[in-house]
């Protein structure tokens, strides 16, 4: 790993994505080479570094000020994205500018995801773009994406919520929960849908399978816990 460890995909300790997600984002950004890009949800700036490497100009949005220095081609907007994002996108639209690349990875509530995604996809400033979504395996995030009604948004020609599939966390504070995954939405106001209904459906939906497994594991654990409590009570009475 010594040689490969110099690669940003493997070496960055500020990038809150799996190696596969990082590689996919790196590939998409380097392929798009956007003149103007945005990132909703900056965190430690790992993915922002990646996007900034391949874009001429990037605007990032987060509730708090960045904890690390930003690349010189990045402008950061601090505050609630429900206020900052529409304002900045409105300025781009008024100036006739087009956002060619976006990463949506901010508020992870269903309502927050829907608000950010609606704002991006329905903006006149997003006319031809690749829009990447993180944590699409998470149930809250996925429900927010679904609630946005991608198939009814003008200009959306393709959507794959499992462009890079997510996972079930094995341990730690998120044990048993569904996280990770990259989704890809393609916007082309002059194009036609790539698939009937726009969604990629050539493969089985991994979210449904993982969700059933997670639900089954939680149910088994509840049974085990009840048995343990009952045995503990019987032992105490004896």
């Amino acid at each position: 790993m010594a040689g490969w460890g110099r690669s940003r995909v493997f070496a960055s300790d500020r990038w809150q994505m799996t190696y596969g997600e990082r590689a996919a984002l790196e590939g998409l950004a380097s392929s798009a080479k956007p003149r103007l890009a945005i990132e909703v949800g900056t965190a430690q700036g790992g993915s922002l570094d990646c996007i900034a490497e391949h874009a001429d100009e990037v605007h990032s949005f987060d509730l708090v000020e960045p904890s690390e220095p930003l690349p010189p081609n990045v402008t950061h907007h601090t505050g609630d994205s429900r206020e900052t994002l529409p304002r900045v996108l409105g300025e781009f639209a008024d100036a006739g500018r087009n956002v060619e690349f976006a990463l949506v990875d901010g508020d992870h509530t269903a309502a927050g995801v829907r608000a950010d995604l609606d704002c991006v996809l329905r903006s006149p400033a997003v006319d031809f773009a690749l829009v990447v979504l993180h944590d699409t395996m998470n149930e809250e995030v996925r429900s927010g994406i679904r609630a946005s009604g991608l198939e009814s948004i003008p200009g959306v020609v393709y959507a794959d919520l499992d462009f890079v599939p997510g996972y079930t966390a094995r341990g730690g504070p998120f044990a048993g929960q569904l996280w990770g995954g990259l989704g890809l939405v393609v916007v082309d106001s002059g194009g036609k849908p790539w698939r009937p209904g726009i969604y990629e459906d050539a493969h089985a939906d991994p979210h449904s399978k993982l969700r059933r497994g997670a639900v089954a594991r939680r149910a088994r654990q509840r049974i085990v816990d009840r048995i343990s409590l009952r045995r503990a009570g019987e032992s105490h009475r004896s």
Side-chain angles (χ1 to χ4, degrees):
M1 175 104 176
W4 286 109
R6 293 193 296 270
S7 165
R8 174 176 49 240
V9 167
F10 300 113
S12 175
D13 59 359
R14 300 193 293 118
W15 199 341
Q16 298 177 15
M17 290 184 181
T18 66
Y19 291 150
E21 293 164 0
R22 297 178 183 192
L25 186 66
E26 184 87 35
L28 289 169
S30 64
S31 177
K33 293 181 172 60
R35 287 167 292 186
L36 178 61
I38 63 173
E39 179 186 66
V40 184
T42 306
Q44 295 172 288
S47 54
L48 181 59
D49 287 343
C50 168
I51 297 170
E53 176 70 23
H54 301 288
D56 293 340
E57 178 184 346
V58 186
H59 289 255
S60 67
F61 301 81
D62 206 299
L63 280 170
V64 298
E65 291 286 339
S67 59
E68 301 287 341
L70 298 177
N73 59 338
V74 173
T75 300
H76 183 75
H77 305 271
T78 303
D80 190 336
S81 62
R82 299 192 199 198
E83 299 175 1
T84 57
L85 188 58
R87 173 176 54 78
V88 174
L89 288 177
E91 293 171 356
F92 292 157
D94 291 343
R97 306 188 68 192
N98 179 62
V99 174
E100 298 172 330
F101 191 90
L103 171 62
V104 179
D105 189 18
D107 187 342
H108 280 49
T109 66
V113 171
R114 180 178 182 178
D116 287 338
L117 194 53
D118 276 345
C119 184
V120 171
L121 295 179
R122 296 183 185 277
S123 171
V126 184
D127 186 60
F128 184 82
L130 296 181
V131 180
V132 182
L133 317 173
H134 188 223
D135 283 323
T136 54
M137 187 59 70
N138 181 263
E139 295 181 59
E140 276 281 308
V141 173
R142 203 175 186 95
S143 64
I145 296 170
R146 288 290 190 181
S148 70
L150 295 177
E151 63 278 3
S152 65
I153 298 178
V156 173
V157 297
Y158 178 79
D160 184 356
L161 301 192
D162 299 299
F163 187 73
V164 177
Y167 54 87
T168 304
R170 179 176 295 176
F174 302 110
Q177 296 182 24
L178 306 182
W179 283 102
L182 284 186
L184 176 65
V185 178
V186 180
V187 180
D188 181 0
S189 63
K192 297 181 179 179
W194 294 4
R195 299 279 191 276
I198 75 160
Y199 284 104
E200 175 62 73
D201 58 1
H203 49 254
D205 179 1
H207 174 266
S208 298
K209 184 175 182 180
L210 285 179
R211 184 177 185 279
R212 287 194 297 270
V215 170
R217 282 190 293 275
R218 288 196 292 266
R220 287 196 297 270
Q221 188 60 51
R222 285 195 295 270
I223 293 173
V224 170
D225 291 344
R226 286 199 297 269
I227 292 174
S228 298
L229 285 172
R230 186 176 63 188
R231 287 178 176 172
E234 292 173 350
S235 175
H236 178 73
R237 286 193 299 271
S238 62

